[in-house]
Amino acid sequence: EAQVTQNPRYLITVTGKKLTVTCSQNMNHEYMSWYRQDPGLGLRQIYYSMNVEVTDKGDVPEGYKVSRKEKRNFPLILESPSPNQTSLYFCASSFWGRGSYEQYFGPGTRLTVT
Amino acid sequence: GNSVTQMEGPVTLSEEAFLTINCTYTATGYPSLFWYVQYPGEGLQLLLKATKADDKGSNKGFEATYRKETTSFHLEKGSVQVSDSAVYFCALSGSQGNLIFGKGTKLSVKP
């Protein structure tokens, strides 16, 4: 089954404790990205990657890092989480089809930073 | 910059009612336009899309037409069901393969 998986699905942590949210896709897509979803703000892109070893900042990159060492994986790293990073995070992978990129989203990771 | 504005929710309808969720956009060039749906506890799923002016996207009884003259992409469904209860997001394609989303509209359909 074609899918994007994220782990963990839920995480409660404390300020300053480094964490990584994993993302993996099995569709051989080149393009992957991370979004955060906050009430009243919709989804905003954090980072994206056009291919292996190619990453770039989205609209809200501060406080986050990413890496793309393999095509299928795109982990999101919070080196020193803060309470304002409490949010719902979505990983997505994309392919070009029918005249545009089409994005597949993972199920989400709900992060709480206390 | 590019942006999407969609009607505020929540929207509450009775089963079999007609649905319209308004979406307007600001963009340079000719972006593709999308509607995504998010069911409770799940990720976003592509509902429909349109890639050029006057295109109509449709899926599961939902429709939206890309109107360049009014910069709009309103979502419509003739007869909603309880199972349509979800959050609906309008989005446009950015210059780097990303999506720019509206804030979302929560729809609740009562039996």
Side-chain angles (χ1 to χ4, degrees), chain A residues 20-32:
Chain A
T20 299
V21 183
T22 65
C23 172
S24 183
Q25 51 98 0
N26 62 0
M27 296 167 280
N28 203 36
H29 292 167
E30 291 184 347
Y31 188 104
M32 297 185 73

Side-chain angles (χ1 to χ4, degrees), chain A residues 13-24:
Chain A
T13 189
V14 296
T15 299
K17 185 176 181 183
K18 181 180 178 180
L19 66 92
T20 299
V21 183
T22 65
C23 172
S24 183

Side-chain angles (χ1 to χ4, degrees), chain A residues 9 31 35 37 40-43 45 48 50 90 97-103 105-107, chain B residues 32 34 36 38 41-46 49 51 89 96-104:
Chain A
R9 294 289 313 278
Y31 188 104
Y35 292 85
Q37 181 180 12
L41 295 177
L43 280 85
Q45 192 182 50
Y48 66 95
M50 302 284 273
F90 289 100
R98 299 182 294 159
S100 75
Y101 276 106
E102 294 194 8
Q103 299 211 10
F105 283 82
Chain B
S32 295
F34 306 83
Y36 278 81
Q38 184 180 29
E42 298 184 13
L44 280 74
Q45 302 173 24
L46 177 63
K49 74 174 191 180
T51 58
F89 291 92
Q96 286 135 353
N98 59 321
L99 289 171
I100 297 165
F101 286 90
K103 294 181 180 180

Side-chain angles (χ1 to χ4, degrees), chain A residues 31-81:
Chain A
Y31 188 104
M32 297 185 73
S33 56
W34 277 100
Y35 292 85
R36 60 178 288 173
Q37 181 180 12
D38 301 291
L41 295 177
L43 280 85
R44 295 173 293 167
Q45 192 182 50
I46 302 170
Y47 267 95
Y48 66 95
S49 170
M50 302 284 273
N51 212 327
V52 176
E53 302 292 1
V54 180
T55 64
D56 211 342
K57 297 177 180 178
D59 297 318
V60 288
E62 293 77 21
Y64 304 95
K65 284 176 57 177
V66 293
S67 69
R68 188 89 182 276
K69 292 183 170 49
E70 307 166 279
K71 199 172 190 179
R72 64 183 291 127
N73 296 323
F74 190 45
L76 179 70
I77 303 157
L78 285 72
E79 296 268 3
S80 182

Side-chain angles (χ1 to χ4, degrees), chain B residues 76-102:
Chain B
E76 296 182 335
K77 186 175 185 182
S79 176
V80 294
Q81 306 301 312
V82 172
S83 57
D84 294 326
S85 298
V87 181
Y88 293 82
F89 291 92
C90 185
L92 63 82
S93 56
S95 58
Q96 286 135 353
N98 59 321
L99 289 171
I100 297 165
F101 286 90

